[in-house]
Amino acid sequence: MSYNKELDPYSAKAQNDNLTPQEKIEGLHAIVQNVKTGMLTTRSSAGQLHSRAMAPAGPVSPTQVTLVFIANRASHKFDEIENDSHVNVSFYDESNTNWASYSGVAKISQEQEKISKHWSSAISAWFGDLGDGVHKGDQNDPRVAIIEVIPNEIRYWMATRGAVGRAVDVAVSAVSGKSAAPGELRTITKDEIQLVQGLTTK
């Protein structure tokens, strides 16, 4: 069965398409910055989906729609990205039920300029100094790499009511038979992403 808004009144009621791309990005950034840690999902060569918690660096600009992670080049996730670059990154804020989902492709880079831009001393803790004079756990360590997720679509939910308001909406809807929508579903489309990226690269 394909999507039918008549049969999915919740999504139809919650969807808000009356925002500018920048307004959508501002709402997205609010979620990512508050949650801080997302789940990066990759696919193995055998087809299994693997997720792991990772904290993105940034966003570093008000129009940024990409996600940047610093990670260990020797870890399994890099093999999976090289096998299939299609990934998903999701965020969930349990304090208000806000969530965000990035669907896109991951690009791997070990360009020192990019690493330096996003590096912080705290990241060293995830690498450790192996004591061989090469793998020191600093930004020059050959294990250090950038995973940049370039989205082709971003969807997120932004609560428009507090916890009490959400509970009331659900309760009233359950009694009345109407669909609850105590928030907004927002989509940053591929065209909007390309537009923003075009503006920020000029």
Side-chain angles (χ1 to χ4, degrees), residues 8-72:
D8 184 12
Y10 158 75
S11 295
K13 184 177 179 180
Q15 186 69 40
N16 182 359
D17 296 320
N18 299 316
L19 297 172
T20 66
Q22 186 56 42
E23 287 173 329
K24 294 179 184 178
I25 293 171
E26 289 170 1
L28 176 69
H29 283 183
I31 296 173
V32 173
Q33 291 172 333
N34 196 53
V35 177
K36 296 182 173 60
T37 301
M39 296 297 293
L40 171 65
T41 302
T42 54
R43 187 188 298 274
S44 74
S45 57
Q48 294 101 339
L49 296 174
H50 294 149
S51 300
R52 74 283 292 162
M54 297 188 69
V60 296
S61 76
T63 58
Q64 181 177 331
V65 290
T66 59
L67 290 171
V68 175
F69 301 95
I70 294 180
N72 190 329

Side-chain angles (χ1 to χ4, degrees), residues 116-135:
S116 297
K117 180 179 179 180
H118 299 287
W119 184 264
S120 70
S121 57
I123 297 174
S124 297
W126 298 103
F127 291 88
D129 186 343
L130 301 188
D132 59 6
V134 177
H135 303 93

Side-chain angles (χ1 to χ4, degrees), residues 70-82 108-110 127 141-147:
I70 294 180
N72 190 329
R73 190 70 177 81
S75 61
H76 289 296
K77 67 180 79 62
F78 284 90
D79 291 336
E80 295 182 349
I81 290 171
E82 288 178 337
I108 299 169
S109 172
Q110 288 190 292
F127 291 88
D141 190 314
R143 294 173 294 170
V144 176
I146 292 283
I147 298 173

Side-chain angles (χ1 to χ4, degrees), residues 138-200:
D138 59 14
Q139 66 186 65
N140 298 309
D141 190 314
R143 294 173 294 170
V144 176
I146 292 283
I147 298 173
E148 183 177 16
V149 176
I150 302 171
N152 49 49
E153 184 181 72
I154 304 168
R155 295 185 178 185
Y156 70 95
W157 161 270
M158 178 71 73
T160 55
R161 302 185 186 184
V164 174
R166 294 195 299 273
V168 170
D169 191 350
V170 172
V172 170
S173 297
V175 173
S176 66
K178 296 180 179 179
S179 175
E184 296 179 352
L185 286 171
R186 302 174 182 178
T187 302
I188 304 178
T189 66
K190 183 176 183 178
D191 287 343
E192 290 173 327
I193 291 168
Q194 292 177 339
L195 173 64
V196 171
Q197 287 181 323
L199 292 175
T200 56

